[in-house]
Amino acid sequence: MLGVIGVILSLALLMYLAYRGITVLILAPILALLAALLNGGVPLMATYTEVFMQAFAGYAKSYFPIFLLGAIFGKIMDDSGSAKAIAHAIANKLGKDKAILAVVLSCGILTYGGVSLFVVAFAVFPIAMQLFKEADIPKRLIPGAIALGSFTFTMTALPGTPQIQNAIPMPFFSTNAYAAPVLGIIGGLCMFGGGMTWLTIRAKKAAAAGEGYGNHPGEKINSLDESNLPSLGLAILPIILVLAINFILSKFVFVAGRYNGDYLKGEPYLTELSKVSGTWSLIIALVIGIIFTIVFNLKRFDAKKSVNDGAIGSLLAIINTSSEVGYGNVIQLLAGFAIIKGAILGISNNPIISEAISVNVLAGITGSSSGGMSIALGMLGQQYMDMAIQHGINPQVLHRIATMASGGLDSLPHNGAVITLLTICGMTHKESYADIGMVSVIIPVLSTIVAIIFAVMGVV
């Protein structure tokens, strides 16, 4: 019983102290060893160096290229003006009467193209301010619109998205970024439709109550300088390239029968093509997207500085997530976790349902979609895979449900991306979290349930 209490106490402290601003780099190893200590009979130093750090290094080895290239791609899309050009063109096309839709679509296109959530928020917010002020829509709804376009359907649901949440399940289930496309589209449409309906209703209620954009002292709305922006076609082409090349490589090149990957089974690789093909495809697609953006925008920005800044910016993200994975691997070895694991698996003998619950809960506890999913799959991924084989379930379903589930409770108020978004927009939790919570927590959870129902019916 003490072991179970130790695991629960450790998780609770991880959530609370991370919310209080203490870095996961410090919390993860300390709280993992606290849980090990309360479980008794576990050698602490060996657990740290041979379990925690082994898992840390293994995760970094598997995902560092994607974190690195994704951060660089997002940075050069921002600095080259491509992200702003896309958002500005959509805003001009739809006009102020469709301000909410313009913001959501701008964020969605950029996120689906691989631009990081933080870059998207910085790039779109100034344009969102202009649109919302012209349309006299309350500024407090801007964070909800950005969250809907950035934190939901393009991050977890739509097949092919280069976001890290869609890459994490690939080695576990031998899938690629386009896994379970029909389920992903169904879930994505539910998130987009539900979120747009909510924000539209909220805007109409505010208008009926006579609430306009609001008075925000000190706010400066500067007109966008279009003189140095690339054309819409040039700005959006890198995104199209990333998606298209990733699809071609994962579906037609790095597949058994077309690419001879037998050498991977021997020394020094000791893996299989199905385990790495999705990652390879995404890496190559991002590299080509980066090169294209740099070559065709050389005169618009300092490419060397942008690449360096993007590379350095990726380090904290990969190290934080690797620390959370190390934490999860320690927890899964403890006797107390065996009882918790049995309870989780006992909720349902269907691995789809059990996986969705475990991923969502851990994403909520850690305040991180990627961290929660990495912990859950690291602890239970192989078991879910074995259960899926026994039940005749396509592993692609496990991939898509895991990604969608990771984008639910992760966006609770302590989530770092939520806090950053509110800071960028100059809003508080009290003013804007109700809308963020609805479009990025409640509706995604309900959308995941819809996807699970279709998955149980055999839809892939």
Side-chain angles (χ1 to χ4, degrees), residues 8 60-61 137 159 178 204 210 226 228 247 257 273 322 341 368:
I8 294 173
K61 170 255 181 188
I137 297 172
Y178 288 87
K204 288 181 178 179
E226 301 179 55
N228 196 38
F247 179 80
L273 179 61
S322 295
K341 176 181 175 181
S368 166

Side-chain angles (χ1 to χ4, degrees), residues 85-86 89 230-240 292:
I86 292 170
S231 66
L232 176 60
L234 183 59
I236 205 168
L237 196 51
I239 289 176
I240 296 172
F292 180 92

Side-chain angles (χ1 to χ4, degrees), residues 89-147:
I90 293 173
N92 282 344
K93 184 70 173 177
L94 293 177
K96 68 178 184 180
D97 293 338
K98 298 288 190 298
I100 294 175
L101 179 61
V103 171
V104 172
L105 288 181
S106 298
C107 294
I109 290 172
L110 290 169
T111 312
Y112 191 46
V115 181
S116 74
L117 313 179
F118 300 105
V119 170
V120 169
F122 277 109
V124 174
F125 173 63
I127 298 170
M129 278 200 302
Q130 288 182 325
L131 288 173
F132 275 55
K133 190 170 183 64
E134 289 176 9
D136 208 26
I137 297 172
K139 182 184 177 183
R140 62 182 174 81
L141 295 180
I142 293 178
I146 293 177

Side-chain angles (χ1 to χ4, degrees), residues 15-16 18-19 363-368 409-419 429 433:
M15 179 171 64
Y16 174 73
Y19 178 68
I365 289 171
T366 60
S368 166
L409 298 181
D410 69 308
S411 295
L412 291 174
H414 64 290
N415 175 271
V418 169
I419 294 170
H429 279 79
Y433 185 75

